[in-house]
Amino acid sequence: MNSAQFSEKQISAFSSEYKLRRKQQMLRFFCATALTLVSCRMAYRGMLGRKYVPNMFQLNYKPPPFSYKGEATSALALGSGLATGGLAMVIFGGCWIADISTFPEFSFKLKKLMGQESDSSQFSMDTETTQIINQLERILSSEKK
């Protein structure tokens, strides 16, 4: 095989970048999870606070007065927080699982998933990355034989 051989030290240099990227994806997902949990907790406490429990000689069919404007504002804020947090969890979790960090990577993986052949030349790669990719492709093609 006349391909350039890479040592473990040369390949492990890329692992720190990979670990940093995965850590960033993980932090995005956990921040979205925290937003969802905080919104959920606030909504739960808000519901407990609105529960009317009458005291001893109070009427049980007459709820205390409340502000319609405040209720609507609270519901809008809590609902938006829950919806935004849930959607962000789905998006960031999916990107974390699929190892997607940018929009070009997303379109590349989506095209690959749909079965459309896409040219990988749209990504700018340095020479070391290109050599490693070529070496891995040669290894994988030799294993198939």
Side-chain angles (χ1 to χ4, degrees):
M1 196 181 263
N2 59 5
S3 65
Q5 298 294 326
F6 294 100
S7 66
E8 277 187 43
K9 184 178 179 184
Q10 290 173 324
I11 293 175
S12 67
F14 296 106
S15 66
S16 64
E17 294 173 12
Y18 180 74
K19 288 178 184 177
L20 181 66
R21 172 183 165 142
R22 296 298 278 180
K23 185 177 180 180
Q24 185 182 25
Q25 291 170 339
M26 176 188 66
L27 288 174
R28 287 178 185 164
F29 176 73
F30 286 149
C31 288
T33 304
L35 172 69
T36 306
L37 291 175
V38 166
S39 297
C40 188
R41 186 68 176 173
M42 288 174 61
Y44 178 72
R45 285 192 179 181
M47 292 303 294
L48 287 179
R50 288 176 184 84
K51 188 175 179 183
Y52 176 66
V53 180
N55 290 332
M56 185 109 169
F57 298 110
Q58 287 183 333
L59 300 174
N60 61 358
Y61 61 88
K62 187 178 177 186
F66 62 93
S67 168
Y68 292 104
K69 193 175 187 181
E71 293 288 320
T73 305
S74 174
L76 178 67
L78 295 175
S80 296
L82 284 169
T84 304
L87 181 64
M89 278 179 60
V90 168
I91 291 171
F92 290 141
C95 288
W96 186 21
I97 290 170
D99 193 25
I100 298 171
S101 291
T102 61
F103 287 114
E105 285 180 17
F106 175 73
S107 73
F108 177 74
K109 294 227 179 184
L110 191 62
K111 286 177 184 176
K112 188 176 176 183
L113 181 68
M114 297 290 190
Q116 182 182 13
E117 291 294 322
S118 61
D119 187 18
S120 63
S121 64
Q122 64 186 355
F123 298 114
S124 60
M125 289 189 272
D126 56 356
T127 56
E128 291 86 11
T129 307
T130 307
Q131 289 175 349
I132 289 175
I133 289 174
N134 291 336
Q135 183 180 3
L136 289 173
E137 286 177 353
R138 278 189 226 110
I139 291 170
L140 292 174
S141 66
S142 67
E143 287 179 2
K144 290 181 181 178
K145 292 179 182 178

